[in-house]
Amino acid sequence: MDRPITPIEEFERALDKAGLTKEEYELIDYIRYTSVFTQPSLIKDLKRPSKPPLLSVLCQICRKIGSEMPDHFKKVIEWSIEISDHDTKWDAHLICAEALSIDKIPLSPSHGTTLFDVLVVHKELFLGFD
């Protein structure tokens, strides 16, 4: 299954309707602007506490946005389970996914490629050139 490409207009409407806090919106905006990030980089750049983990917060935000675009979010979750090594879903796949090495190996501690999970925003959601 290919990754479901997010319809940008639908995403923007869902983002507006999701009722995000200022801090939640700031996190999404930052991710969409920088495109590549790790948990420590988010904490450092956004000057946030390490608890609760910002990747968990990101999942909560994605559930809020996903509730406003349920058909697409369902497809994303199905894709998330399919690409998972353990058949589990990750709600943040609505916005981002694991970065891969040139050998198509995820950049993550569990794959022995980096100290932290490296994530990248989906291309259609990237705002860095705007």
Side-chain angles (χ1 to χ4, degrees):
M1 168 184 228
D2 291 335
R3 177 179 69 83
I5 304 301
T6 304
I8 193 66
E9 293 86 13
E10 184 181 355
F11 180 83
E12 294 296 345
R13 277 193 301 276
L15 185 60
D16 287 341
K17 294 169 91 177
L20 302 182
T21 66
K22 179 183 173 201
E23 291 81 16
E24 290 171 332
Y25 190 81
E26 181 182 59
L27 177 60
I28 296 302
D29 201 37
Y30 176 82
I31 288 169
R32 291 181 71 190
Y33 181 77
T34 59
S35 75
V36 178
F37 60 96
T38 63
Q39 172 94 5
S41 74
L42 292 176
I43 292 167
K44 179 182 175 216
D45 294 347
L46 294 173
K47 297 173 179 44
R48 299 278 181 89
S50 59
K51 302 277 179 169
L54 286 180
L55 295 183
S56 295
V57 172
L58 180 58
C59 287
Q60 293 168 357
I61 294 168
C62 287
R63 285 191 290 274
K64 288 180 181 181
I65 298 168
S67 71
E68 299 296 332
M69 50 188 315
D71 293 337
H72 179 70
F73 192 53
K74 181 177 185 267
K75 290 176 191 171
V76 167
I77 294 304
E78 290 169 359
W79 170 76
S80 180
I81 293 167
E82 182 177 298
I83 65 167
S84 168
D85 289 341
H86 306 288
D87 294 327
T88 57
K89 70 180 175 104
W90 189 55
D91 294 327
H93 272 141
L94 177 64
I95 292 178
C96 59
E98 299 79 11
L100 303 176
S101 73
I102 192 75
D103 299 317
K104 305 242 187 274
I105 298 169
L107 298 177
S108 72
S110 62
H111 289 90
T113 51
T114 60
L115 291 175
F116 305 102
D117 290 306
V118 178
L119 303 165
V120 61
V121 72
H122 298 315
K123 183 179 180 179
E124 66 273 16
L125 299 177
F126 177 59
L127 296 176
F129 294 127
D130 289 348

